[in-house]
Each structure stands twice: as structure tokens, then as C-alpha cells.
Amino acid sequence: MNDTVRSSLLAVCCALGVFAFGARAHAAFVVQITRGQDVAIPIAIVPFAANAGAPAFDVAAVVSHDLGGSGRFKSMHRKDMIDLPHTGSQIVFDDWRRLDADYIVVGSLSRPAPGRVDVSFELYNVLTQQRLLGYQIHTDDAGLRLAAHQISDQVFQSILGIHGAFATRIAYVLVLGKIPHQTFQLVVADADGENPRVVMQSGEPLMSPAWSPDGKQLAYVSFEDKLPSIYVQTLKSGARQLVSATAGVNQAPAWSPHGRRLAVTLSNRSGNLDVFVLDLGTHALTRITHNPGIDTEAQWAPDGDSLYFTSDRDGGPQIFQVSLAPGSRPRRITFQGSYNARPRLSPDGSHLAFVTRVRGDFRIATLDLKGNGGMQVLTHGAFDESPSYAPNGAEIIYATHQRGRGVLALVSTDGRVQQTLVSPEGDVEEPVWGPYGSE
Amino acid sequence: MKRLTAITLLLTGALALAGCHGKTAVKGQSASATEVPASATTGGAGGAGTTMTPLNGANGGSLQAVAQAGNAVPREQRTIYFDFDKSEINPQYEPIIAAHAKTLIANPGLRIRLEGNTDDRGSREYNIGLGERRAQAVRRALMLQGVADSQIETVSYGAERPAVEGDNPQAWAMNRRVDMVYLP
């Protein structure tokens, strides 16, 4: 086993300083677990030792927050810890067994050279006393938070067998102020809501952020000229490119799997919305749907050969799939309920998440595309919208309302774990989870 | 100045329709709805419509004044409200549309932007489609009255520009609308 995880964090953190708007957006989100796993796994994340010259950053607190916040683990409170070991040889396993910890994480920080930090950590099974993980992460002071998320990912993977998604990013729209004097911000943050950075701000609406497959760019809709336009913004440089500003609607950008094309929604003079594909290299525009109904919010199948989209050609909104081969006819794929919209594919393409209306309430549902074709309603709110899969496919982030405010929420794809991320201010809308390696 | 008064009169004719999105108010409005075209005719169709046309090209300032006057009227006189998931214009709004159509016909240089909106439930992008459909319904209604296509611009804000906040049927009804905005 390779005992070293080389953190490529330096480049990422340097990039953060040069966003179009580098300002810190707001204080941290508050995580509320609204529904946890029936049997959350008890784990002790012991505070890491800071060796001579090492920074005082609390790695264990971040890991504990990640794992506890996932709803799948129960992190032991520090006041319940009777000992603070920093290496495996210091662990008295009988003590931790009596405290009902199934697993224990210990570690330390050291400074091998000015400006550099090494983070060592080990994961043990308390019952078997077996060492499951032992790594050292080489990073710098600015990279410690991401290093902590990488530890969470490793622990998550080791115990649950699911690739963690803690060291990833999300983008969302934050609306501040009162009607009609509102400010719209496009924010990129760590997956736990920390480190929020405003990458675009406007007095007119911003909507539909979409990550490029390499996580380096965001496409979005801006009404900054009063009319909608689609922009592509490079996160590292802050450079923006106007890619669609046709007369009428310019909406719902979605990247092709290789990032060379965008599916977009455009309208003609009579206001009929159809789905088009825009080649970002040649600027060639190909019309995909031809229907007098609303055809919009397309998503690419992982093979890039077909699109899923919402259409009300049969009456209310339903989800269809259309091959990009010329002359292909769209095929309807949702039949349960009178309102199914905003399709989002799971990373492996096996499931579709979307908004469905259940007796007047808007909720997040999934459809099994490969298996039995069954539909499962995952959430229980009235205003649930804008689902987006985590890159590990295990969770869906979405927007909902709590006491009249727009907040973010997460649900595991089995529906068993739910949590809410409440921003200290404003309305949070349209969360989109970035791919692994997003900037 | 006279022209301005005429425009204001046209629009105030529709004032009685304030709050007509509420279903209970419909009965009371049918009376005022018949009054509006009458006052509109006396104010608009006669001299104002024909005398204004040549002035527009020469004096942009007066058009601007008309636009400002049109935007200054209460919201209820420049807003069409819609039922849930619908884009058909309810008959009670015909007088409002007629008043704006007369203003636009009398001022061929005047332009209006129809801003389609929805309540904030459901899919945001689908709501853009719904808002656009509502704006188009008002555009067609204005054109049926004789307004030139070139005078009309449409935009859909979907759920992004609510008129009021709130997670209740009253707020949703106030947000399912087309705002008519005269362009400077």
C-alpha cells in the first residue's frame, strides 16, 4: 500500500485568491441532521498532536464534523475521551472498547520545512485492534482543511466501502436582500459549505450553474443585461466568456461528458423553448427538439449520445430522452405523477434524480434507469427542488425551504440519511455538486 | 401635457381592477371593466392618437415621459395575474391590456417589455418556460389589439424575480404574473 497521499492542494489554494470576486461570502453553514442512519457507526476522532512548529489547525474537528454530519457515523465528544493518543502504539484499545467506539482515528501535524505541513493519521478497528489506514499527507497551511476532508474520504471509504465526497466542492446561488433590491451571488464552497467564495455577483438574477466535467469552469445564466445570457467562467482566472445571447431565452446550460459542447435552451420569437447543442469550439448550433411545448433543462447521458430533458408536450412536465442521432424521436421515461422535471443523472448513469409533485408538494425522486425502472420519492418537503448528485453517487444535494428561507439539504440515495445546511443569511438556491478535482 | 393626461386617464381606467387576481373580487370588477373602454375611448382614440405620432420622431423626450408615466401607475394596472401552471389570460384583464394597447398604438415609437414570472415552486428552468409562455400570451393579446410586434420585447424571469415573499397561496398568486414595463 502506498503510504503517502500527495496533496495537489497548493495549486488549488493559489487559485482561490484570484477569483473574479475573492471575497469571503458568509460564515459557515449550520448542519442539522433531520434523519440519521438507524445504526450510526460510533467512531472516535482524537484531537491531532501539533509537533514543534506545526500549525494549531484542528484537523480532527473537521473530520469529526464530516463523518458525524454524514449521518452514517456518530462522532464521540471530546469530553468523553479519557485519553488522547496520537499514534497507534499509544492506543489502549480496552479503554476505547468500554467507551463503545468501534473505530478510532489518531494523528499528528509536523512542519518538515518552512511553509510545509505533514499530516499523519491512522485508522484502527477497536475490536480487532487492526490498523486499517496509515497515511501521511504533505501539504501547506492553506491546504489543511482539504487535507482533513481527504482523511474523511479515506475513513469513509475504508469503513463503508463508498468513495467519500468530502474533499469536493459545490456551487450555488445565494440571494441576499429584500425584494425588489436583491443581490444575486454565485458561490463556490467546500462540500460542507465552508470556504465560500463569491465568483460572480449581480443585481439581476443568476441561475443554473453547471460544472464543467474537469471542475475548472462554471456555465451559468445571467440576467445582468436584463435579458438572459449564458456565460462560461474559468474559476482559476475569473475570466468570463459569453457563449449564448440569442434573442429570447438562453437557459439551462449542461456540459457534454468531454466538456466540448453545451446543451442549451433557446427560444424563437414566438417564445417556443427548444433544446439545442452548442459546440464551444466551432460555435455551431444544432437543434435537437422540435416541439411547440416547453423543452428544456437537458442533461447528457454519460456516453454523450443522448440527452434527457423536460417537456410538457404531453400536458404537464415529464422527462424524455432523445438520441442525438439525426431524426431521432424523443422517448418519454417518466409516467408516475403529473409533474416530473429537472432531470439530473447519477455519475454512473444508472439513476435519474428529478423534482416530482406529490399531492401539491414538490419533492426529490429518483428513477432506476437500468434495473426495474422503479421510481422512489426520497424527500418529504413541500418545496424541494434542484437535485444534484455527489460525485460518489451516494448523496443528492438539493434546495428546499425552511421557515420561509431557501436552504440546502442532502439526502442519501437510499433515502435513509437527511440533513439540512442552513446558511446564516439569504436564500440559497440551485446547489450543484462539482466533480472530483473541482476548483 | 395634454397627452400625458390622456395616457394617465387610460391607465387609471384600469385602476379599478386593482387586486383582481383574487378570485373573490371578480364580480365587483365586471362593472368597472365595462367602464374602462369607455373612458379610454374619450381619452385616447380621438385627437391624442393621431396628433402624437409625428411628434415621436422629433421629440424623444416626450416618449420618455409617456414611458415614465406608464411605469408610474400602480402595479395592478400593469400586471396580469395567472392561475397555477396556466398561461391563459383571464377575461378580467382585457381592459388593462386594451388600455396599454391604446397607449402603444398612439405612440408607435414607444416600446414595452413583458416580463413573465411564476411562483417559486418546482423546477426553476421549467418555470422560465412557463414565464415565457405567459409573456407571449400578453404579447399576442397586445398584437391582436393592433400593437406592432416591433414595440414588444419579452423576457421570462421564471421564479427568480418574485413580487412578494412567502410560502403561501396568496404570495404564489401575486407572483404568477406578467409585468408590463415601458422601456426608456
Side-chain angles (χ1 to χ4, degrees), chain A residues 16 34 64 120 124 136 174 184 210 238 328 331 338 382 396 410 413:
Chain A
L16 290 177
T34 45
S64 182
S120 303
Y124 283 86
Q136 190 170 59
L174 179 64
F184 299 81
S328 302
R331 180 174 68 95
S338 60
I396 295 169
L410 291 150
T413 43

Side-chain angles (χ1 to χ4, degrees), chain A residues 194-212:
Chain A
E194 293 287 335
N195 276 329
R197 294 281 187 286
V198 180
V199 300
M200 171 63 189
Q201 180 170 311
S202 175
E204 298 296 334
L206 298 170
M207 61 185 297
S208 301
W211 290 92
S212 62

Side-chain angles (χ1 to χ4, degrees), chain A residues 11-19 21-22 169 188 195 197 236 439:
Chain A
V12 174
C13 290
C14 290
L16 290 177
V18 289
F19 277 165
F21 295 82
R169 291 204 158 79
V188 172
N195 276 329
R197 294 281 187 286
K236 195 171 186 173
E439 295 183 345

